[in-house]
Amino acid sequence: MATSESSPDVVIIGGGFAGVTAARELTMRGRTSVLLEARDRLGGRTYTSDHDGHAMELGGTWVHPLQPHVWAEIDRYEVETETFPVLEGLRQAVVSGGRVVDLSDDDVARAIDALGQYCAPGTTLFPEPYTGTWGPDPQNMDARSMRQHLETIKVAPKLRDWVEGMCCVTAFGPIDQAAATELFRFYALSGWSAEQMLAALSATKLVKGTRELIDSIAAQARLADIRLNSPVRRITQNGKQVSVELTNGDTITAPTAVITLPMNVLNTVEFDPPLSQIKRTASAERHAGAGMKCYVRVKGDIGNVAVMAPEAQPVNWVVTYDHNTNGSWLIVFAATPKRLPMSSFDDAAGMQEALQPLLPGVEVESIHGWDWSNDPYALGTWCIYRPGQLTQVLPEMRTAEGRLFFASGDSAVSWRSSIDGAIESGYHAAQHTDQYLTASGHQTLSPAGLKSPVTA
Ligand SMILES: Cc1cc2nc3c(=O)[nH]c(=O)nc-3n(C[C@H](O)[C@H](O)[C@H](O)COP(=O)(O)OP(=O)(O)OC[C@H]3O[C@@H](n4cnc5c(N)ncnc54)[C@H](O)[C@@H]3O)c2cc1C
């Protein structure tokens, strides 16, 4: 068993946006760290994949100026963004009553009103969405699923089906397992506006991909030793230090650790002493996000189109990514992958069948995607809580345990489930770790101690 020679101030577990932000923020505070990432790349649940001439985002993609933490990073590193219209200039449709119904501009406006009706409780439940303050909840909305709340809105069937599709795409799992409050939260964070919420969730992306942003942050983490291909299997803490054991048997010790494992993955690492009961139970229950996002190449010019579909359909949203006469790329979202009549990303015929109710006659050529729910280092997609988890789980997921500090897009205060939330949580975990180290007498490096930039 190898043991590292010099002990860093902090061991960071995980190299997604939370971990890499923590590494940079610790550097800014003069703290050394070793960042251990299981994969052969940084980014975690963001993954820019070069495919067919495009920088395709197989995971986290969309960002927005309403998301303060990620937007500050975009501004800081002068990362180029591009915005697509989500409501205008494209054919909007919904699958309703078993057929595709085109939506006029007036229909789209009514669909947004219906979404606003669904989200209205967010006004009182999230009076200060950026502080995580929870308003009065006399109707116990926290215990309500998206499916249950959907039954309460009174709108025309095609609008209801559109809102149901929106619930599916947001939950990215069965909507009876996702908390109704999750959509209220996004609505509140978007200025209590359904229209702004659509823009925040699916309009603006990074031209060269999320890879450019995370690489920019990592390049400034000069006091971090970033190690890829370094899966962790055990984390032990005693009164003096934390020992982190890798699957290859190497051990790294430090006075503190920042844990950025996804909520669903926490239980795959052994903690001694064990983590709190709430953290372990939450990880075992998992959050509800377990859908499938992929890119699908189809024959011909499909035009600029967005079709929503309710839960009974195997695909719940398809939107054009790129189109010309040589063929088109679509982005496909399926909230419940087991409904898909396809066996793998090689199964173009299965995807073609799944898309027929939304785009009749479409001919699928190939698929490009990533199976996040069966990826051992993700075990799910973005974090959408189950009913009750917001109040019973969230505060504890951020709570430090001894020398362990926690950060994740899955436990952020405001834009949880997003890149913004991961950055927010990484920032705060670094701040709290630094304060702990200072309080326990660990000196920071002088600026002269700064090393040259670290390459992953
Ligand atoms: C399909 C999909 C679409 C999404 N769309 C959007 C979107 O449009 N906009 C948006 O803002 N967000 C989106 N998200 C959510 C966003 O990607 C995440 O919230 C964010 O990236 C989480 O960052 P993180 O650092 O907290 O976690 P992660 O990115 O999961 O990072 C955790 C890291 O820990 C590593 N790890 C796991 N186990 C071990 C171990 N044993 N040892 C060492 N390392 C380990 C993982 O490999 C990973 O790199 C999407 C996510 C998915 C999956």
Side-chain angles (χ1 to χ4, degrees):
M1 189 216 305
T3 304
S4 65
E5 286 168 14
S6 63
S7 175
D9 292 321
V10 189
V11 185
I12 301 168
I13 322 296
F17 271 94
V20 171
T21 301
R24 186 201 58 198
E25 291 301 315
L26 286 164
T27 295
M28 298 298 179
R29 290 165 170 77
R31 298 292 182 190
T32 58
S33 63
V34 170
L35 184 152
L36 301 171
E37 167 51 51
R39 304 175 196 270
D40 61 0
R41 60 172 182 85
L42 294 176
R45 280 172 283 169
T46 58
Y47 183 9
T48 310
S49 167
D50 296 318
H51 188 78
D52 196 31
H54 298 279
M56 292 183 179
E57 298 286 8
L58 303 185
T61 309
W62 287 296
V63 293
H64 195 271
L66 282 168
Q67 300 172 337
H69 302 90
V70 70
W71 208 261
E73 302 295 342
I74 288 167
D75 193 35
R76 178 181 195 156
Y77 297 111
E78 300 184 334
V79 171
E80 195 185 348
T81 60
E82 58 187 333
T83 298
F84 297 92
V86 279
L87 298 172
E88 291 149 12
L90 75 169
R91 184 188 146 221
Q92 294 266 10
V94 61
V95 177
S96 188
R99 63 193 181 89
V100 188
V101 180
D102 275 13
L103 299 175
S104 66
D105 288 350
D106 284 349
D107 287 334
V108 171
R110 280 193 280 270
I112 291 167
D113 283 349
L115 184 59
Q117 190 182 325
Y118 175 101
C119 293
T123 309
T124 45
L125 289 176
F126 294 99
E128 296 172 15
Y130 289 96
T131 63
T133 305
W134 177 244
D137 186 17
Q139 290 180 277
N140 197 15
M141 289 284 184
D142 183 41
R144 197 178 268 193
S145 71
M146 285 189 183
R147 163 68 63 203
Q148 287 167 328
H149 188 60
L150 198 57
E151 308 302 336
T152 69
I153 66 163
K154 303 281 176 254
V155 291
K158 69 180 176 187
L159 304 182
R160 189 198 172 285
D161 286 333
W162 189 88
V163 176
E164 182 171 324
M166 188 64 200
C167 287
C168 292
V169 175
T170 316
F172 222 35
I175 60 174
D176 61 349
Q177 293 177 26
T181 51
E182 291 292 57
L183 255 177
F184 306 164
R185 178 173 62 94
F186 288 135
Y187 170 79
L189 285 163
S190 306
W192 301 276
S193 156
E195 191 167 348
Q196 284 276 33
M197 176 171 77
L198 290 177
L201 296 180
S202 57
T204 302
K205 68 185 193 63
L206 309 183
V207 172
K208 293 183 190 156
T210 51
R211 180 177 51 199
E212 184 188 12
L213 185 60
I214 200 159
D215 285 349
S216 301
I217 300 173
Q220 282 203 308
R222 296 199 182 100
L223 293 181
D225 173 1
I226 295 176
R227 302 184 190 173
L228 304 178
N229 302 303
S230 301
V232 167
R233 73 165 167 226
R234 185 177 157 88
I235 299 171
T236 310
Q237 54 168 332
N238 58 30
K240 292 185 181 154
Q241 65 181 25
V242 180
S243 295
V244 178
E245 188 183 326
L246 280 70
T247 54
N248 68 7
D250 286 359
T251 300
I252 297 165
T253 59
T256 54
V258 171
I259 316 296
T260 77
L261 297 169
M263 169 174 156
N264 291 358
V265 172
L266 265 184
N267 281 355
T268 66
V269 172
E270 189 185 337
F271 287 85
D272 180 17
L275 293 180
S276 72
Q277 186 64 51
I278 293 177
K279 285 194 182 84
R280 282 183 285 143
T281 303
S283 183
E285 273 179 2
R286 298 192 177 187
H287 59 71
M292 198 207 65
K293 169 191 178 184
C294 61
Y295 292 74
V296 176
R297 183 166 172 91
V298 299
K299 281 191 183 157
D301 190 343
I302 202 97
N304 226 358
V305 60
V307 187
M308 200 76 91
E311 190 165 43
Q313 295 297 335
V315 167
N316 305 105
W317 190 44
V318 57
V319 61
T320 303
Y321 175 69
D322 185 53
H323 66 105
N324 61 52
T325 47
N326 295 325
S328 307
W329 276 103
L330 309 170
I331 309 180
V332 167
F333 283 77
T336 314
K338 68 178 183 211
R339 290 178 192 268
L340 285 167
M342 59 182 260
S343 49
S344 72
F345 290 129
D346 293 328
D347 186 355
M351 177 55 78
Q352 180 163 310
E353 185 185 335
L355 281 173
Q356 293 311 306
L358 289 83
L359 295 170
V362 75
E363 292 179 76
V364 172
E365 293 181 328
S366 65
I367 309 169
H368 187 54
W370 191 262
D371 184 0
W372 296 102
S373 295
N374 288 309
D375 173 334
Y377 303 124
L379 295 179
T381 56
W382 61 83
C383 173
I384 288 295
Y385 278 161
R386 295 172 187 277
Q389 285 184 328
L390 177 72
T391 53
Q392 290 158 31
V393 163
L394 178 57
E396 168 60 24
M397 299 309 279
R398 290 198 295 266
T399 302
E401 298 196 29
R403 294 167 177 273
L404 307 185
F405 295 82
F406 294 84
S408 172
D410 303 354
S411 58
V413 173
S414 58
W415 282 96
R416 177 167 47 75
S417 338
S418 70
I419 298 166
D420 184 89
I423 294 169
E424 174 215 295
S425 71
Y427 180 89
H428 287 298
Q431 188 181 35
H432 297 150
T433 309
D434 176 49
Q435 287 164 353
Y436 177 94
L437 286 164
T438 302
S440 50
H442 288 84
Q443 303 294 317
T444 56
L445 278 184
S446 68
L450 289 173
K451 295 186 289 181
S452 58
V454 176
T455 52

